[in-house]
Amino acid sequence: MTSPYWDEKLAERYRRFQYEFPERALGGRVIAVAGGTGGLGAATVALLAREGARLVVGYRANRSRAEALRRAVAEQYDATLHLVEGDLAEPAVRRAYRDAAEALGAPLYGVVIFAGDAARVKWEELDAAALEASLRANYVAPILLAKELGSAMEEAAGGSMVLLATMQAVAPFESSLNYAPPKAALAHAARILARQWRRVRVNVVAPGATIAGMAEASVSGGKYDPYISGGVIPRFGRPEDIARAVRFFLEPDNYTTGQVLVVDGGLTLRR
Ligand SMILES: NC(=O)c1ccc[n+]([C@@H]2O[C@H](COP(=O)([O-])OP(=O)(O)OC[C@H]3O[C@@H](n4cnc5c(N)ncnc54)[C@H](OP(=O)(O)O)[C@@H]3O)[C@@H](O)[C@H]2O)c1
């Protein structure tokens, strides 16, 4: 008996070595990128704009950088960014992402959450307030946005969600007690959401030492140089590396959910 799920037409195509690799598959899709104006998020926004996605892009307070990105994307890709300002911890701000996406007139298809905080604090100053602030910024606020937008996508047409963790969430690094554990929780939450939702895939990108954004000062200051001089990594990460990883998970025919992709040039593997 043939399986009711068997697709003979597809099988016949493969016997003839005919495959489909869609290009510009995200063209026209509505995608919300929270924290999309930062060092890593902006490259993802540029890649998605180049492909013709319709973008809602959020930031917390740095309006001049957001406006500069909006102008650059309009000039380079003839694309319009719909900006949302405010802290994700605020329910009204999370609602604003949903409203901005709905105003575009097509179902929300994708959500990428870059918003996060390096939560740097000296060991002697690490206290309950610092731990709670990092948990709020790196876990509570992103997960509440994921819950709200993902539930809407699950009820509508389904889609893809990508959360941003860090290599420090998958391997222990010194001085990351305040930053990494909430990011590890975020990665675990992504798997829970991926299991719960049937029509929304949820994946995580975990960047390594990347040239732009919150690690810029550490990288330019030489903190990670020993990894290059010691042959651990061939170069520092670039925002384009992260953008390509995010885009992979966003592709409509992507077959992956509940996974963490570490984009660190092999740093956590070989250090
Ligand atoms: N850069 C790296 O090497 C690296 C490595 C590992 C992991 N990561 C992770 O990758 C993500 C992006 O990092 P990045 O380097 O691009 O950071 P970034 O340059 O500091 O940008 C952060 C972005 O998120 C926004 N944001 C921050 N907190 C927010 C909040 N509570 N509500 C709304 N928006 C908020 C910022 O808006 P404003 O500018 O207006 O504040 C900005 O758009 C973060 O989650 C980070 O932990 C980065």
Side-chain angles (χ1 to χ4, degrees):
M1 197 180 88
T2 308
S3 160
Y5 305 111
W6 180 249
D7 186 336
E8 179 52 28
K9 278 190 191 147
L10 202 56
E12 183 48 31
R13 274 209 350 244
Y14 295 150
R15 286 180 205 116
R16 286 186 270 115
F17 309 112
Q18 291 176 349
Y19 306 102
E20 270 184 43
F21 300 108
E23 277 175 23
R24 297 180 62 86
L26 296 171
R29 301 272 183 171
V30 176
I31 301 175
V33 187
T37 65
L40 304 191
T44 297
V45 165
L47 180 63
L48 300 178
R50 190 183 74 156
E51 196 166 337
R54 298 157 74 192
L55 295 166
V56 172
V57 175
Y59 62 99
R60 182 174 38 193
N62 191 340
R63 188 177 298 173
S64 61
R65 179 164 67 170
E67 293 292 353
L69 176 66
R70 171 146 69 180
R71 283 193 300 278
V73 165
E75 277 167 28
Q76 292 178 49
Y77 307 111
D78 196 22
T80 304
L81 301 186
H82 304 272
L83 296 175
V84 174
E85 180 179 292
D87 194 327
L88 291 186
E90 302 291 332
V93 172
R94 299 195 296 271
R95 180 71 226 182
Y97 277 84
R98 208 168 150 180
D99 292 345
E102 278 171 14
L104 293 178
L108 178 64
Y109 164 74
V111 174
V112 189
I113 305 182
F114 280 94
D117 191 317
R120 292 188 184 99
V121 55
K122 289 192 186 118
W123 174 260
E124 351 22 289
E125 288 161 19
L126 182 62
D127 58 9
L131 287 165
E132 283 162 12
S134 177
L135 192 67
R136 272 197 302 278
N138 291 310
Y139 180 78
V140 178
I143 287 302
L144 287 174
L145 183 69
K147 175 175 179 265
E148 181 156 347
L149 298 185
S151 302
M153 283 156 62
E154 176 79 359
E155 281 167 25
S160 173
M161 176 176 288
V162 184
L163 306 182
L164 271 289
T166 165
M167 65 176 175
Q168 296 172 9
V170 297
F173 281 77
E174 256 177 67
S175 316
S176 69
L177 192 60
N178 201 30
Y179 172 57
K183 288 288 199 179
L186 187 82
H188 193 65
R191 286 189 289 267
I192 293 170
L193 293 172
R195 184 182 157 95
Q196 176 174 331
W197 287 326
R198 287 291 180 268
R199 305 191 318 148
V200 180
R201 293 180 297 98
V202 188
N203 291 286
V204 175
V205 172
T210 311
I211 288 170
M214 62 172 64
E216 188 177 329
S218 302
V219 172
S220 67
K223 179 177 172 186
Y224 295 106
D225 285 357
Y227 292 121
I228 294 190
S229 57
V232 172
I233 49 173
R235 61 168 171 82
F236 296 122
R238 297 174 185 149
E240 294 95 325
D241 298 321
I242 305 309
R244 283 199 297 262
V246 169
R247 191 200 168 283
F248 165 74
F249 285 131
L250 285 177
E251 282 177 12
D253 62 346
N254 184 290
Y255 193 51
T256 317
T257 195
Q259 301 303 309
V260 179
L261 179 56
V262 182
V263 184
D264 69 349
L267 199 156
T268 48
L269 186 70
R270 298 197 202 98
R271 79 194 164 118

